[in-house]
Amino acid sequence: MIKRLNASRRALTGALIVALPVLTQAQTAAPSVPPPAQPATREAQALPSLAPLVESVKGAVVNVDVQSKASGFGQGENPFMDRFFGGGEGGRGQRREQIRQGSGSGFIIDPKGLVLTNNHVVEGAVAIRVRLDDGRSFDAEVVGTDPLTDVALIRLKGKVENLLTVKLGDSDALRVGDWVVAIGNPFGLASSVSSGILSARARDIHSGPYDDFLQTDAAINPGNSGGPLFNLKGEVVGINTAIVGGGTGIGFAVPSNLVKALMPQLEKDGAVTRAWLGIGIQDLTQDLAKAMQLPVNEGAIVSQVNEGSPAGKAGMRADDVIVAIDGQKVGSGGQLTRTVALKKPGTTSTLDVFRDGKKQALKVQLGTRPDREGVSARPRRGGDETEQSSKARVGVSLSNVDPRIVERTGLRSEQGALVTDVLPGSPAERADLAPGMVVVEVDRKPVRSAEELAKIIRKAPAGSTLLLRVEVPGSGRFLRALQVP
């Protein structure tokens, strides 16, 4: 690669020499006076170096090395999981627990040793090691995670002192075209720096219900996940999270203002509780606005109102068009979802609504968003008691239903306990349970999570039989009788 570059440089130099005009005698006799710099040239020469900025913040950027649980299957053993999430390494037929080594980035925001990173960097972690720019390293533990925005907060263990920290800036103050700097651990290359501009705001990349990403062309690669995106003041304006393809110059970061809103709950409770209206929505378009004879072109149309929901109790109806909440303009369904989610459950909000072409105000006492993804049931520290208890007693490993599986397989169930492994000769195998099935009921009562089913199995009397209703992707629902030894 270096040789090829050098060759290209020599060829370019030769081309420049050939292109120079032949000077006349009069021209050669004239004194050599450099031409005046053009305005654009003077501006380029005046551009400041980013070195002082990088030197001031680089010490707060860390490498996050993680050992996490793999799916527990050898390649090809679980076609259901392999199809949608890829097979693990190892021989066919392996059933031992596998440990996967991963690496990401993060940054210190508190001298007590608090570090922000991505949820997907530390998800399922059994061991976390954080390496600092000054050569020190610490074990770390997860304080709180929010999978729906891919944000995680971890804490350094042991005696921490003399830590360099950075602060979260105002992501709303960023303009498209503003310079940004990314620092992280791409491909294991520690403390790598790249720069670019903010390319776009409020990007929805369909990774979750609260997508509101910043887009940048600063180089972001695998290993940059969880690292900071800085403005030129040295403030963190985003957490680098995702990329499109390889080398395309399109990267995404979680806005710092969203992270600020989540931080108190992550540190105090370990998870995020969100407010909820209980409605289905779609964006108001110009064509729909014209058809509905509305004086506005932006808003969120209520497509359905859930029975017994906060919105239903407030008298909201299908085809209502929400244009503002608590005086804040609503430009789309996604914006309404994000705005409501950041409010505290139990508070009362005022919604400006168009109904039959007339504007009115509705007061709604916000509820608590149901935990459809089973986030609150996910273990944050230590071992997985859910998997241990159910596997030890009846030979079945369980996990919560992943929204990606629901989307890709057409499952009717957004809640339940996903069967991920069944031991040969176990009660679970004798009950015809198989990986990929989702247990949605036990004794005709709904099951919302893997933890809930594991608790039922753990407390079931010896010799009893549990009547399970399972959903098989693409086939429907069936009954299974699980005998508890």
Side-chain angles (χ1 to χ4, degrees):
M1 181 65 71
I2 294 176
K3 290 182 179 179
R4 192 173 302 154
L5 178 60
N6 290 339
S8 299
R9 191 172 295 168
R10 287 195 297 270
L12 179 60
T13 303
L16 291 173
I17 293 175
V18 172
L20 289 176
V22 178
L23 299 179
T24 64
Q25 186 173 2
Q27 288 172 320
T28 56
S32 176
V33 179
Q38 298 299 317
T41 307
R42 288 198 298 268
E43 290 174 7
Q45 291 172 344
L47 286 176
S49 170
L50 296 174
L53 164 65
V54 173
E55 290 173 0
S56 68
V57 299
K58 190 176 64 158
V61 182
V62 301
N63 299 339
V64 183
D65 298 323
V66 177
Q67 288 184 331
S68 59
K69 291 181 181 179
S71 63
F73 293 95
Q75 187 174 9
E77 182 185 350
N78 186 344
F80 177 80
M81 299 296 283
D82 287 350
R83 177 182 175 189
F84 295 103
F85 296 104
E89 294 192 11
R92 182 179 298 272
Q94 287 183 329
R95 285 186 179 271
R96 70 178 186 271
E97 183 179 85
Q98 298 179 15
I99 298 298
R100 179 179 57 198
Q101 186 75 38
S103 181
S105 306
F107 53 96
I108 305 171
I109 57 164
D110 189 287
K112 295 181 296 185
L114 291 178
V115 175
L116 277 169
T117 184
N118 281 146
N119 172 72
H120 76 260
V121 171
V122 299
E123 190 171 24
V126 295
I128 303 174
R129 189 74 174 170
V130 174
R131 292 180 286 128
L132 276 58
D133 184 58
D134 62 10
R136 291 182 290 170
S137 61
F138 298 88
D139 289 330
E141 63 180 355
V142 176
V143 175
T145 60
D146 183 39
L148 299 184
T149 56
D150 203 12
V151 175
L153 184 67
I154 63 177
R155 179 187 290 113
L156 305 183
K157 293 180 178 180
K159 186 178 180 181
V160 293
E161 56 186 4
N162 302 322
L163 296 179
L164 181 64
T165 63
V166 289
K167 68 176 184 177
L168 296 172
D170 182 4
S171 55
D172 289 343
L174 275 180
R175 302 170 300 169
V176 173
D178 281 347
W179 289 99
V180 289
V181 175
I183 304 179
N185 183 35
F187 302 109
L189 301 172
S191 301
S192 293
V193 181
S194 58
S195 66
I197 62 169
L198 183 71
S199 304
R201 304 174 55 90
R203 288 297 197 200
D204 183 353
I205 61 174
H206 306 293
S207 68
Y210 305 111
D211 283 10
D212 189 30
F213 290 103
L214 303 175
Q215 180 184 328
T216 179
D217 66 351
I220 297 174
N221 292 288
N224 273 112
S225 290
L229 187 70
F230 291 102
N231 61 18
L232 293 188
K233 297 178 182 179
E235 300 167 332
V236 178
V237 290
I239 300 179
N240 300 320
T241 298
I243 57 176
V244 173
T248 58
I250 299 177
F252 301 98
V254 180
S256 58
N257 285 5
L258 175 58
V259 180
K260 283 182 188 176
L262 302 179
M263 274 281 296
Q265 288 193 69
L266 290 177
E267 186 172 3
K268 181 181 177 181
D269 304 323
V272 176
T273 302
R274 293 178 166 87
W276 180 63
L277 279 172
I279 56 175
I281 51 177
Q282 68 179 92
D283 293 343
L284 177 67
T285 64
Q286 290 188 3
D287 290 340
L288 287 172
K290 184 178 180 181
M292 299 173 75
Q293 298 180 348
L294 296 175
V296 294
N297 292 325
E298 292 184 335
I301 304 174
V302 178
S303 57
Q304 69 178 45
V305 180
N306 297 342
E307 185 178 353
S309 66
K313 294 176 181 177
M316 187 166 289
R317 303 176 187 172
D319 296 340
D320 284 349
V321 179
I322 302 172
V323 294
I325 177 169
D326 295 329
Q328 181 179 348
K329 182 180 177 182
V330 172
S332 66
Q335 184 181 357
L336 175 64
T337 299
R338 293 190 296 270
T339 303
V340 171
L342 291 177
K343 295 184 179 293
K344 187 176 180 180
T347 59
T348 299
S349 288
T350 302
L351 302 176
D352 293 336
V353 174
F354 277 98
R355 178 179 294 170
D356 299 326
K358 297 179 181 179
K359 191 175 183 180
Q360 58 181 279
L362 289 178
K363 289 192 177 296
V364 181
Q365 184 176 16
L366 302 176
T368 301
R369 181 184 186 271
D371 187 17
R372 298 188 182 95
E373 297 79 12
V375 171
S376 62
R378 297 183 184 186
R380 294 183 181 85
R381 299 186 181 98
D384 188 344
E385 184 180 351
T386 297
E387 180 176 334
Q388 300 279 341
S389 60
S390 58
K391 192 168 187 176
R393 191 163 193 195
V394 297
V396 63
S397 293
L398 306 168
S399 71
N400 292 307
V401 177
D402 192 307
R404 294 172 295 178
I405 296 178
V406 176
E407 179 181 350
R408 297 174 188 177
T409 64
L411 279 171
R412 292 166 51 193
S413 309
E414 293 186 357
Q415 295 181 338
L418 175 68
V419 177
T420 59
D421 190 16
V422 175
L423 293 180
S426 66
E429 186 182 61
R430 290 194 293 271
D432 290 328
L433 295 179
M437 292 181 176
V438 178
V439 181
V440 296
E441 289 181 12
V442 176
D443 294 335
R444 295 188 172 88
K445 294 180 180 178
V447 170
R448 301 176 189 82
S449 66
E451 184 181 47
E452 186 174 342
L453 177 56
K455 185 176 180 181
I456 293 171
I457 293 173
R458 190 164 58 245
K459 293 185 175 181
S464 62
T465 301
L466 299 176
L467 181 63
L468 309 181
R469 191 180 303 277
V470 301
E471 181 172 347
V472 180
S475 299
R477 294 188 172 188
F478 306 89
L479 294 176
R480 296 288 188 269
L482 177 63
Q483 293 184 356
V484 181

